[in-house]
Amino acid sequence: MKTPPSAGEGFVDAATQPETRGIELIGAGERHGRARDLFFVWAAPSVSILNFTVGATLVLLGLELWQAILVVLAGSAMWVFPGIIAISGPAAGTSGSVITRAIYGIIGNKPVVAFTGWLIGAVFLALNWLASSFLGADMLAGMGLTDPVVVPIAVTLVISALTVLVAVYGHALILRIYSWLAIVLAVIFVTVTAFILPQVDWSYQAAEPLAGVPLWSAITIGFTLVASGPISYINSPDIARYLPRSTKASHIIAATALGGALPGAVFTAVGVLLATVVMGGMDAGIESALLGILPAWLGPVFVIGVIVNTVALNGMTTYTSSMALQAIGLPLRRIPAAVIVGVIGTALTIYLVLSTSLLDAVNLMLQFLVIVSAPTMAVFVADVVLRRNRYDGVDLFDEERGGRFWYSGGWSIPGVVAVLAGGIVTALCLSTTVWTGPVSEALGYVDLSVPVGMLVSVVLYTALLRTPLGKAGRP
């Protein structure tokens, strides 16, 4: 068996220098940090303008304020899943994109990570850079820079460069600065909220109140939008992997889940209320409508906050996506891989900047994202529970035939089949403006993609593990 790459080869985790370690194993002597540090790591990227956008969309779907806020709370509860899979990082001492070899097999893991890691990473890079580009362009337009092509592209390039820089410096920099970023962002967004609340129409009612099947359609579509965020964070083990193996699992779950859920729920609820303020002015985009109701001095501060949030979220996404590239076998060190991820995300963002609005892009891409994220998250959670979080980092790097995770010809049939079947079921139950699955259409456009897709994936994975097909090649 080939000796796996380890932390004993000169890797240093320090905020003052680029992190050269990628998927390499982290030895016991290199472990550090506390579970509570994860709260701020996830809070900083969760204070986002995308929350405002998603919250406003719930009202546009026809929901009353109280209904929309209940949907926000239900969707935010899905943050428990990134918390659960995060505990596998310290257990294995490596990236989640390597840990999933235990689910899909040494060879089977490569196409799954290549597809899911890249799709999820690219979508979130583009959506967040898109938000910053639109807002930055609006702010610069007020200063006389109005070119509709050059300005947003220039803003995108600057923000992309800052994002890749964070990804290059990596884990230690993220831990050191994200707590401060979370506090600064919370202050900015709370200040913006303070100017929104007095203008809220607390007596708002939909022009045509929904009932029956149309109401459930709006509720379920809204739930899919809110839930698509947390269930896409399949990279949570990457951020937790430096913690000592003895760190309590319950503390890791709580810090990760609460760090993402609390600010996410609060500011998505603010987005719900915001919709009653800017309802008549969203034709130009929710970002422009929002800037229009803020005092002149606060608009630029808010834009800076959005850019900081974007760098925080996309820095983390680029960081973890670079390890996904390594996990699928590309002969790249982590830093060049991060640069490649940044270039691809920038190209997609520039395309979206020139072809769509923020509201349309967020709603459509987040809904389609669940076809991938719902089954992969469900199967990962199931594996952590069924395996009782017992992952051996050394075995995960044994890529030779006959190794523990070689399974059947390098493929774990239960994992691959569960994800493929779950994705198909998710698509059949999905309802978007450009695609409605036959199940959703038969139910009157009720969207059960997330709960049904995840349930089918878990049940199928668990059942297949107990068959001869599932036991083949398993120790």
Side-chain angles (χ1 to χ4, degrees), residues 6 10 57 60 67 102 117 119 130 160 168-169 263 294 352 366 380 412 455 467:
S6 70
T57 299
L60 294 178
Q67 294 169 337
L119 180 61
L130 186 66
S160 301
V168 165
Y169 275 78
L294 297 178
L352 291 173
L366 286 182
F380 202 162
S412 172
L455 180 62
T467 67

Side-chain angles (χ1 to χ4, degrees), residues 103-164:
I103 301 173
Y104 307 113
I106 297 298
I107 296 177
N109 188 59
K110 294 181 179 182
V112 174
V113 169
F115 184 70
T116 60
W118 273 98
L119 180 61
I120 293 175
V123 166
F124 271 91
L125 284 174
L127 285 181
N128 284 282
W129 278 336
L130 186 66
S132 293
S133 297
F134 280 143
L135 276 172
D138 285 340
M139 182 180 71
L140 292 175
M143 302 176 183
L145 300 174
T146 59
D147 190 297
V149 176
V150 174
V151 173
I153 290 178
V155 173
T156 299
L157 292 175
V158 171
I159 297 172
S160 301
L162 291 173
T163 299
V164 172

Side-chain angles (χ1 to χ4, degrees), residues 359-384:
L359 192 66
D360 291 340
V362 169
N363 294 342
L364 186 60
M365 294 179 77
L366 286 182
Q367 281 180 281
F368 271 113
L369 188 65
V370 302
I371 296 175
V372 174
S373 61
T376 51
M377 176 62 81
V379 171
F380 202 162
V381 169
D383 194 73
V384 170

Side-chain angles (χ1 to χ4, degrees), residues 48-335:
S48 171
I49 190 175
L50 294 186
N51 296 328
F52 286 168
T53 303
V54 171
T57 299
L58 300 182
V59 176
L60 294 178
L61 287 171
L63 297 177
E64 305 294 349
L65 298 185
W66 67 272
Q67 294 169 337
I69 290 175
L70 286 179
V71 169
V72 170
L73 295 176
S76 299
M78 303 294 281
W79 266 100
V80 69
F81 295 128
I84 291 173
I85 66 171
I87 66 176
S88 66
T94 185
S95 163
S97 53
V98 175
I99 296 170
T100 50
R101 290 173 177 175
I103 301 173
Y104 307 113
I106 297 298
I107 296 177
N109 188 59
K110 294 181 179 182
V112 174
V113 169
F115 184 70
T116 60
W118 273 98
L119 180 61
I120 293 175
V123 166
F124 271 91
L125 284 174
L127 285 181
N128 284 282
W129 278 336
L130 186 66
S132 293
S133 297
F134 280 143
L135 276 172
D138 285 340
M139 182 180 71
L140 292 175
M143 302 176 183
L145 300 174
T146 59
D147 190 297
V149 176
V150 174
V151 173
I153 290 178
V155 173
T156 299
L157 292 175
V158 171
I159 297 172
S160 301
L162 291 173
T163 299
V164 172
L165 186 64
V166 170
V168 165
Y169 275 78
H171 176 265
L173 180 66
I174 289 172
L175 278 186
R176 176 171 295 185
I177 68 172
Y178 274 37
S179 58
W180 294 104
L181 293 183
I183 294 170
V184 170
L185 288 169
V187 169
I188 293 174
F189 274 68
V190 167
T191 303
V192 170
T193 300
F195 281 91
I196 292 174
L197 293 181
Q199 303 179 63
V200 171
D201 179 5
W202 296 99
S203 61
Y204 171 83
Q205 289 186 330
E208 297 182 10
L210 300 177
V213 173
L215 174 60
W216 282 107
S217 174
I219 289 174
T220 54
I221 290 173
F223 173 80
T224 298
L225 281 172
V226 179
S228 64
I231 64 173
S232 70
Y233 287 116
I234 204 164
N235 60 351
S236 59
D238 300 28
I239 307 300
R241 74 191 196 283
Y242 276 92
L243 292 174
R245 192 182 181 102
S246 60
T247 306
K248 290 186 177 180
S250 59
H251 293 181
I252 297 173
I253 295 171
T256 301
L258 293 176
L262 290 180
V266 169
F267 293 113
T268 305
V270 172
V272 170
L273 302 178
L274 173 65
T276 71
V277 181
V278 300
M279 184 68 73
M282 283 198 283
D283 290 341
I286 189 172
E287 68 282 357
S288 298
L290 177 56
L291 288 178
I293 67 172
L294 297 178
W297 65 267
L298 184 55
V301 174
F302 177 64
V303 173
I304 292 172
V306 170
I307 291 173
V308 169
N309 164 263
T310 299
V311 172
L313 177 52
N314 282 3
M316 180 190 295
T317 302
T318 304
Y319 172 66
T320 58
S321 294
S322 66
M323 287 182 277
L325 276 184
Q326 292 185 303
I328 63 178
L330 294 184
L332 292 170
R333 304 297 292 175
R334 195 194 65 78
I335 291 177

